[in-house]
Amino acid sequence: MTIETGERGVHVPARADDRQAFLDDFARMSTFGATTAGGVDREAATDADAAQRKWLAAWLTERGFQVRFDRIGNMFGLLELVPGAPFVLAGSHMDSQPRGGRFDGAYGVLAAAHAFDRLRRLYTDPSCPTRPAYNLAVVNWFNEEGSRFTPSMQGSGVFTGKLDLADALATADAAGVTVQDALGAHSMLGDDVFPLDDAGRFRDDRVTAYAEIHIEQGRELDKAGVTIGVVPSTWGANKYEIGVVGWQGHTGATPITDRQDALYGAARIVVALRELAETYGDELHTSCGQLTVYPNSPVVVPREVHMHLDLRSSSDDILAAADRDLTRMFAEIEIAADVRIEKRFAHTWKGHDYPAGGVELAEAVVGDLGFRSMRVRTRAGHDSTNMKDLVPTVMLFIPSVDGVSHAENEYTADDDMLDGVTVLTETLARMVEGVLAGSASPGSAPPGSAPPGSASPGSD
């Protein structure tokens, strides 16, 4: 049934069984890598990740989409309705954190698949009063989470030319398995799906726009009782790889005053990071998400610790100041713990606006559909963070109960998921019909730009 409302008009019909079909597919998708506590554990290019990709490929193929993988394992479901025309992309990621939530990323891929399938039905109906200007492409980005392979947002980083393909393929996990080997073992490596420009990123004459819907991973929508978040901008982030180098010794025989305990130095860094966040209040988030201790024996003073740290802020100036504070704190810890601290940027991105045209389009759609929305700045990185710098991009949120994410008790209500699919479907219809044609992306620092001292350019 077509509902006419608003200046533009809502015109995407829905079948009576669409809502239940989405919930059934979401339940099936959540079985891949399912944990006993209700979450999922399917890190990038693991058996569980490969199994759910195989399931999605079959789902898309049954509905007439052509499934292809590119050279970094990004998965595309292509539907050409206008021969030779560019594509509108929509999706997210289906890999997870270890013992993570079943909604993070995966919801956005399935929502895009269902939305585009509804558009397929619409535009292949001879009675449809409107015609698409562009083609459709569902995308499941490779390794958004960055838990098995670093950095995060790796697939979209390569796709947008912000990460080097060869470097990404050579990245190894803790067991020494490279991205190339892991993807190859599951037949998830292909050729360029879209032509590349001289900078190694997709050509914008083949990809015209991008949309992504995601759980908020925060409390703002849940607290306000609002269904849809429209993302106008993103926090910036500095992510670091840290090495704390000491000297291996005997835990019983080595005097405390003679110890160069790398773990002690690392522990002081963890505390210093929390104190740094408290200095800036809510304007700065800090964390240490991973420590690897060598030799990790109960009777050996650790000789070395590898750590991953991050700083996040809405202000690029605060990020720069916090980086200077971090350097000063490291120097103090080196003296106090008698260790050496090696610091390098793993990757970084500055805070930037999403294209204004996409924000306005999303808000118009929400209003036409009779939902409520609010603007919510994203503190987390998403694949849209990369895409927004190159093409008109829409980023949408739905509520996360209590703001829980990257945990097995992550939860979003069924009605919120379903309403999100409805909003995404109508948004994509307008994008596919050319509403954002000529709408500029906001622009940003050149791909790979990083603060002074960066040893590894790129974004994630």
Side-chain angles (χ1 to χ4, degrees), residues 157-176:
V158 171
F159 188 73
T160 55
K162 297 183 177 186
L163 295 174
D164 180 75
L165 173 64
D167 289 345
L169 290 173
T171 302
D173 65 9

Side-chain angles (χ1 to χ4, degrees), residues 93-106:
H93 63 95
M94 295 178 80
D95 65 311
S96 82
Q97 292 290 335
R99 294 179 62 178
R102 65 187 190 274
F103 300 86
D104 177 5

Side-chain angles (χ1 to χ4, degrees), residues 242-249 251 254 256 258-270 288 291-296 300-307 333-334 336-342:
I242 304 295
V244 184
V245 182
W247 193 261
Q248 190 166 316
T251 56
T254 307
I256 294 293
D258 291 347
R259 296 188 185 190
Q260 295 175 271
D261 187 336
L263 185 56
Y264 173 57
R268 292 188 65 128
I269 290 175
V270 173
C288 173
L291 287 87
T292 307
V293 181
Y294 302 94
N296 205 28
V300 173
V301 176
R303 69 175 182 272
E304 192 166 351
V305 176
H306 293 170
M307 321 171 61
I333 292 170
E334 284 182 318
D338 194 17
V339 295
R340 186 176 80 256
I341 299 174
E342 301 170 344

